[in-house]
Amino acid sequence: MAADSLAFPWARNLDADQLAAFIEDLWGAASGDNDLATLGAIERVIRKHTPAENKRPPCPLTPRQVSVLTELASGETQPSTAARLGLSHHTVKTITVDLCARLLAGNIAHACVIAADYGWITEQRIPRPPRTRKRRALANFTRHVERAAALRAKPGVERIVGDYGSRNTAYRAARQISQGELKTYQPGTFQARAYLTRGKRWVVAARYIDTPNTAERAAS
C-alpha cells in the first residue's frame, strides 16, 4: 500500500511498545461521545505520538498573507483579492511578492501548492468538477425509474415527473411517456401531459393507468 494513501504512515516505523501505546491512547480518546470534544482528544493523541520529523512545520506567513494566498488559491486575481479583502491592489501585489519569498516559491501558483501541501491554507474554495454528460444521463435515468415506480405504486394519481427547459422538450417527453417509448416507463401504460406552472416552469406530469395486458382485457 502506498504511503500517501495511509492516514498514519509514520506509525509503521514505531517499535512495538510505541505502537501499542499509540493505539491504546487512540482507542481511549475515541471512546467518548460523538462530538467535537472527542475529535479534539483524538487530534491531541495523534499530535502526541507523531514523531518530530513528521510534524507539520510552523507556518512562516502572517495572517494577512494567509488570507491573500487563500483567495489566490481559490482562483481570485490580485484585483479581485484586493476587492474581497478591502485592500488596495498595490498592497496585495506587495504581499504576494513577500509571501512568495518567504515560501521560496517561484511564483504564486508554486506558493499555493507549497502552502496547501503543508496545510497552511485550508479554507480555499474548490469548486466541484462539472458533471459529465454520462453522469447526468445516469442520474436522469435513475430519477425516472424511481418516479415510474412511485406512479405504479399509486395507479391513477398524477405526479410531476420532470422539469424541462422549454415547451418543445416538455411536450416531447410527455409524448414519449404516453406512447411507451421510454424504457424507464416500461412495462405498463402511462398518461403524461406537459404544462407551464405559475412559476413559469415547463413540467411533465404523469399517472399510471394499468399494465398493457390488463388494459387490453378491459377494452375487450
Side-chain angles (χ1 to χ4, degrees):
M1 183 179 294
D4 58 2
S5 66
L6 302 174
F8 311 116
W10 47 264
R12 281 170 163 67
N13 297 321
L14 301 177
D15 61 35
D17 292 338
Q18 291 173 328
L19 182 59
F22 172 53
I23 293 176
E24 183 177 347
D25 287 353
L26 199 58
W27 274 111
S31 62
D33 295 329
N34 296 329
D35 54 20
L36 291 177
T38 299
L39 179 61
I42 293 173
E43 291 173 337
R44 287 192 293 273
V45 168
I46 294 172
R47 285 196 298 268
K48 172 185 173 183
H49 289 275
T50 302
E53 62 270 20
N54 294 103
K55 291 182 178 178
R56 179 188 302 170
C59 180
L61 304 178
T62 66
R64 175 170 285 187
Q65 289 173 333
V66 170
S67 296
V68 168
L69 190 58
T70 297
E71 293 299 325
L72 295 172
S74 300
E76 299 294 338
T77 62
Q78 288 187 1
S80 63
T81 295
R84 288 179 62 87
L85 299 180
L87 304 173
S88 69
H89 184 193
H90 176 74
T91 299
V92 170
K93 186 175 181 179
T94 301
I95 291 173
T96 300
V97 172
D98 188 28
L99 69 85
C100 282
R102 290 194 181 198
L103 297 179
L104 302 179
N107 51 49
I108 194 60
H110 190 198
C112 291
V113 172
I114 293 171
D117 187 60
Y118 281 115
W120 295 332
I121 56 172
T122 58
E123 298 181 2
Q124 60 269 35
R125 300 178 299 280
I126 302 176
R128 290 186 176 183
R131 297 175 65 181
T132 63
R133 182 177 298 179
K134 185 175 181 180
R135 289 179 59 189
R136 287 197 301 268
L138 179 60
N140 287 335
F141 180 85
T142 302
R143 182 168 61 251
H144 280 288
V145 167
E146 293 172 348
R147 291 175 180 175
L151 293 175
R152 290 189 187 96
K154 294 185 176 181
V157 177
E158 185 179 74
R159 293 185 178 183
I160 293 177
V161 295
D163 288 84
Y164 295 86
S166 68
R167 177 183 182 277
N168 289 342
T169 55
Y171 271 88
R172 182 170 63 250
R175 184 183 68 253
Q176 290 174 328
I177 293 173
S178 297
Q179 295 179 356
E181 296 176 3
L182 297 181
K183 291 183 178 180
T184 47
Y185 291 90
Q186 298 174 0
T189 302
F190 295 83
Q191 286 185 347
R193 65 187 181 95
Y195 65 92
L196 188 65
T197 67
R198 292 182 178 179
K200 303 300 181 182
R201 294 183 303 123
W202 280 102
V203 300
V204 171
R207 62 192 180 101
Y208 178 61
I209 304 304
D210 210 338
T211 60
N213 291 341
T214 305
E216 290 172 2
R217 287 197 300 270
S220 61

